[in-house]
Amino acid sequence: MPHPLLASANESSKPIWLVTEQTWPDIAGQLPQLAQGFAKAQGFAGKAGSHCLLPDADGNLLGVAFGLGGSDAKSNDPFLPGKLPTLLPEDIYRFETEAPNPTLATLAWLLGAYSFNRYRKRGEKAVRLVVPNGVDAEDAARIADAVVASRDLVNTPTSDLGPDGIEAAARQLAERHGAAFTSIVGDDLLERNFPMIHAVGRASITPPRLIDFTWGDASAPRITLVGKGVAFDTGGLDIKPASSMLLMRKDMGGAAATLALADMIMGAKLPVRLRVLIPAVENAISSNAFRPGDILPSRKGISVEIGNTDAEGRLILADALALADEESPDLIVDFATLTGAARVALGPELPPFYTDDDTLAADIARHGSAVNDPVWRLPLWYPYQAQLDSKFADMNNTGGPMGGSITAALFLRRFVEAAKAHVHFDIFAWNNSTRPGRPEGGEVQAARLMYALLRERYAS
């Protein structure tokens, strides 16, 4: 089997009856009287996310009833079975009744079993699932392993994952898949014309860098991924309040999503020429930190006045996007934990995305829904571009007090001209609480849907 949490059909397993509030009475009637009576005594009725361990006549585990709920949308989360690995005793299980979406149920099982154990050792239990008929177990394992590895990166504090640690993780991934890897570090960024990456990261004891690796046939369609890799964001001299700094280890969540998607693409051997660019910095505070009011040059030749040092992610992305654009790729995809405004607009679970390509937008929305990786399109409303005007430079790095996610996307858009298509995802990269298949902590958003989209476009 391709994954330690998956099993084959010829292995002995316990049944899981996936039931709705409507189907439970019929299924319950087919169970032994003892199991029926036990479920009734427990008050099990198929409520969404509820479960009941059913005994046999000897007191051993006969099987498990798991509720999918009623007919309302909330009860029909295709990731609901992702609760099961944390609820069940160690054993091998099978879906005795078919899941509404067996592929997503299997993936949810793998993702729901995740826990971050680097600093606190907890007992591991092997709760394995027989792969349902028709499910591509290899692909499910590929996706889950990529997401889990990137969740670990987001959850790791900056004391153990600075810009150099992001580089090490990217290098390890590139070497595993045979990609060509380079990194431009420290003052070499100035020599190679990446002045904004250098400015944002120069105050840190760990030098800033631009991570760059390529994979695949050079003649294949060119797909370039760009991820924001801010290992920690103090806000710079415009320092964040303490409460806003607590989760800033996740400010490299865009880099983590980029690495997850790259892992899926290379693992599936999609016929594309992949390039990955990750500007990795720590936005620290010292005597040489960049300042409000500074005017920075950029790789694109656009001068940028600093209205706020806490709007640093767009600065490092701009230099990386300018480099990506120089190749005129077929598609540039960037992931970034860019704005709090996106969370005000849509909350943490629904990242906005921005693109001028209506066909790409429709495909993103369709695949996001299909693979339970939800996103929502917001407009590149060009009249708001005036909010980025500067009296002293070509543009400011901050807009007005409203529409902050939109103005951030418009800022990035200025640095992409030659690419055939570009999409920007403003992700949160964190689960504030545990949901099925999505444990509390670091999360990978929008990568799974982009993998599904690229598979459809290039592997079919």
Side-chain angles (χ1 to χ4, degrees):
M1 275 290 106
H3 196 281
L5 293 178
L6 297 179
S8 61
N10 58 11
E11 296 182 76
S12 178
S13 59
K14 295 288 195 304
I16 298 173
W17 290 276
L18 300 174
V19 301
T20 66
E21 294 169 8
Q22 292 75 32
T23 63
W24 168 240
D26 288 341
I27 291 174
Q30 302 171 32
L31 299 176
Q33 287 294 326
L34 177 63
Q36 290 185 48
F38 188 85
K40 184 177 181 180
Q42 297 297 313
F44 180 82
K47 182 181 177 181
S50 64
H51 79 292
C52 186
L53 304 179
L54 302 172
D56 63 15
D58 298 321
N60 298 315
L61 181 63
L62 171 70
V64 182
F66 183 76
L68 300 179
S71 58
D72 62 293
K74 182 179 179 181
S75 300
N76 294 329
D77 180 0
F79 267 16
L80 262 179
K83 292 186 66 173
L84 286 164
T86 62
L87 300 174
L88 302 181
E90 185 168 312
D91 212 325
I92 301 174
Y93 299 88
R94 68 182 184 275
F95 293 141
E96 187 69 11
T97 52
E98 186 174 352
N101 187 318
T103 295
L104 290 185
T106 303
L107 181 61
W109 183 286
L110 300 178
L111 296 179
Y114 172 81
S115 62
F116 182 60
N117 295 327
R118 178 168 177 171
Y119 303 96
R120 184 176 67 175
K121 299 302 180 186
R122 285 171 279 194
E124 298 280 343
K125 60 178 181 178
V127 182
R128 301 169 63 200
L129 176 69
V130 173
V131 179
N133 290 334
V135 172
D136 185 339
E138 183 178 355
D139 195 54
R142 176 186 303 117
I143 295 169
D145 287 347
V147 170
V148 162
S150 286
R151 283 175 174 174
D152 280 349
L153 294 178
V154 179
N155 284 323
T156 301
T158 311
S159 54
D160 288 321
L161 194 83
D164 52 348
I166 297 172
E167 178 182 338
R171 185 185 297 273
Q172 183 180 44
L173 177 65
E175 290 177 351
R176 176 155 59 87
H177 290 288
F181 186 95
T182 61
S183 181
I184 305 169
V185 181
D187 289 344
D188 286 348
L189 289 164
L190 295 176
E191 295 294 324
R192 301 282 293 276
N193 193 23
F194 299 100
M196 293 204 293
I197 298 174
H198 183 272
V200 172
R202 71 192 183 204
S204 173
I205 193 172
T206 306
R209 61 206 64 212
L210 177 62
I211 299 158
D212 185 353
F213 65 84
T214 56
W215 172 91
D217 187 340
S219 64
R222 292 175 175 262
I223 309 299
T224 300
L225 312 180
V226 181
K228 174 187 170 184
V230 177
F232 193 85
D233 182 19
T234 64
L237 293 176
D238 287 312
I239 190 169
K240 293 177 182 289
S243 60
S244 298
M245 241 187 279
L246 284 174
L247 289 182
M248 279 301 101
R249 68 178 181 270
K250 79 171 184 66
D251 213 21
M252 46 65 66
T258 296
L259 292 176
L261 177 54
D263 195 2
M264 296 174 205
I265 290 169
M266 294 186 291
K269 296 180 171 55
L270 295 188
V272 299
R273 188 274 199 180
L274 176 68
R275 188 177 193 183
V276 174
L277 297 169
I278 296 174
V281 304
E282 180 184 3
N283 188 18
I285 299 172
S286 73
S287 60
N288 68 334
F290 76 119
R291 296 164 288 265
D294 281 357
I295 295 178
L296 303 181
S298 70
R299 182 175 184 84
K300 187 76 170 176
I302 297 171
S303 60
V304 179
E305 181 182 5
I306 303 305
N308 193 308
T309 61
D310 196 19
E312 85 298 333
R314 66 199 67 184
L315 300 174
I316 65 172
L317 285 171
D319 271 355
L321 286 169
L323 175 63
D325 196 52
E326 289 166 14
E327 289 189 324
S328 304
D330 294 271
L331 175 62
I332 295 176
V333 183
D334 80 71
F335 301 92
T337 51
L338 207 60
T339 69
R343 259 41 72 192
V344 172
L346 298 175
E349 300 171 16
L350 190 62
F353 72 95
Y354 299 85
T355 181
D356 281 325
D357 187 321
D358 290 340
T359 299
L360 176 62
D363 285 346
I364 287 171
R366 175 167 54 86
H367 284 289
S369 177
V371 303
N372 199 27
D373 194 6
V375 292
W376 197 265
R377 188 185 189 184
L378 289 183
L380 282 164
W381 187 248
Y382 285 97
Y384 287 173
Q385 206 157 241
Q387 296 183 35
L388 297 168
D389 287 349
S390 165
K391 293 181 180 179
F392 306 105
D394 293 324
M395 61 192 309
N396 200 295
N397 77 323
T398 57
M402 300 183 187
S405 182
I406 296 174
T407 54
L410 289 169
F411 181 94
L412 297 180
R413 192 70 184 88
R414 287 283 299 274
F415 295 85
V416 179
E417 293 180 322
K420 294 182 177 65
H422 169 225
V423 59
H424 159 61
F425 290 96
D426 190 343
I427 64 175
F428 188 58
W430 194 264
N431 295 317
N432 286 326
S433 59
T434 295
R435 293 174 290 133
R438 296 179 169 95
E440 181 178 349
E443 187 56 284
V444 172
Q445 294 176 305
R448 291 190 297 107
L449 77 86
M450 284 306 304
Y451 171 61
L453 186 155
L454 294 172
R455 280 195 80 186
E456 179 182 77
R457 287 192 174 187
Y458 299 110
S460 55

